[in-house]
Amino acid sequence: MKRKIVNSVHIILVMFLSFSVNANEMKQPAPDFTLKSYNGKNLKLSEFRGQVVLVNFWASWCGPCRQEMPLLEKLHNKYAGLGFTVMGVNVEENNTEAKGIVKKEKLSFPVLFDTQNKVSELYQVSAMPSTVIVDRDGNMRYLHQGYKTGDEKTYYSWVKRLIKE
C-alpha cells in the first residue's frame, strides 16, 4: 500500500513537471545501464559507444511523450546511417500499454523497459519525457525535460552538432 501511494505521488509530480521545459548543456559520463528491450534482448548503453545516442525516458500515460514518439522515429531514421540511434526507455512497472504504443507507432529504434525505475533514478529523471543526448565518447551532453511542439528542432540541432564532432 505504501509503495502504491509513493508511486502515485511520483506520477502526479512527474505529470506536473511534464509541462515545464528545461534544456541544459553538460559534459559528464553517462551512467551505463542494461535493460530488456521490446524484442526481448538485453541492451547495454555502453554497447553503443562510438555512436551519438538520444535516450528518451517516457511513459504511456504521458501525452507529450506519445506526441513526440513519431518525431523521435523520424529523427532516428534520418541519422541512423551516420552513427546515431534513439533509445526509448519506458519507466512503467506494467509495460503492456507501452508495448501497444511501440507496435502502433511502428517504432524501429530500441525501446527498453525500466520496470523498477532503477535507470530513471540513476539519471535523476524528474519530468516526463526527459531526453539525454550522449556523445560518441559516452558523455551526457544535453538534457531536455518536458516536450512541446517544436522541441524536436532543438534535438535535430544537437544531434547534427554531435555527429559532426
Side-chain angles (χ1 to χ4, degrees):
M1 178 70 168
K2 185 176 181 180
R3 182 180 167 117
K4 284 185 178 185
I5 292 170
V6 170
N7 284 343
S8 296
V9 170
H10 183 254
I11 288 171
I12 290 167
L13 178 62
V14 169
M15 286 175 65
F16 175 74
L17 293 172
S18 311
F19 298 104
S20 67
V21 175
N22 184 16
N24 295 312
E25 191 167 347
M26 62 180 67
K27 189 165 186 178
Q28 62 190 52
D32 198 17
F33 61 84
T34 303
L35 290 171
K36 184 148 319 271
S37 69
Y38 176 75
N39 66 13
K41 294 181 183 176
N42 285 333
L43 292 181
K44 189 173 189 173
L45 178 62
S46 61
E47 292 171 350
F48 291 83
R49 183 76 43 100
Q51 294 188 44
V52 175
V53 181
L54 182 150
V55 182
N56 179 262
F57 294 90
W58 67 284
S60 63
W61 48 260
C62 167
C65 300
R66 291 191 316 272
Q67 183 183 4
E68 112 179 306
M69 277 297 142
L71 304 169
L72 294 176
E73 176 68 14
K74 286 180 185 174
L75 180 64
H76 174 75
N77 290 334
K78 181 169 183 162
Y79 294 112
L82 299 174
F84 170 74
T85 194
V86 171
M87 280 186 155
V89 178
N90 179 268
V91 300
E92 298 168 278
E93 284 183 41
N94 181 339
N95 57 29
T96 303
E97 285 189 45
K99 288 179 178 178
I101 290 170
V102 172
K103 187 174 181 178
K104 178 183 175 227
E105 295 294 337
K106 299 178 178 138
L107 301 177
S108 62
F109 59 81
V111 175
L112 312 174
F113 300 105
D114 185 18
T115 57
Q116 297 179 344
N117 291 309
K118 289 184 179 180
V119 176
S120 57
E121 287 174 10
L122 187 64
Y123 278 77
Q124 299 176 351
V125 172
S126 62
M128 282 291 121
S130 282
T131 300
V132 175
I133 302 181
V134 179
D135 68 17
R136 295 180 191 276
D137 295 323
N139 294 307
M140 295 188 301
R141 296 287 294 277
Y142 299 101
L143 168 65
H144 190 274
Q145 296 176 314
Y147 175 79
K148 65 180 179 357
T149 302
D151 285 348
E152 66 278 3
K153 293 174 186 170
T154 302
Y155 298 163
Y156 275 87
S157 172
W158 290 340
V159 168
K160 285 193 285 189
R161 185 176 308 148
L162 292 178
I163 286 174
K164 290 178 184 178
E165 286 187 358

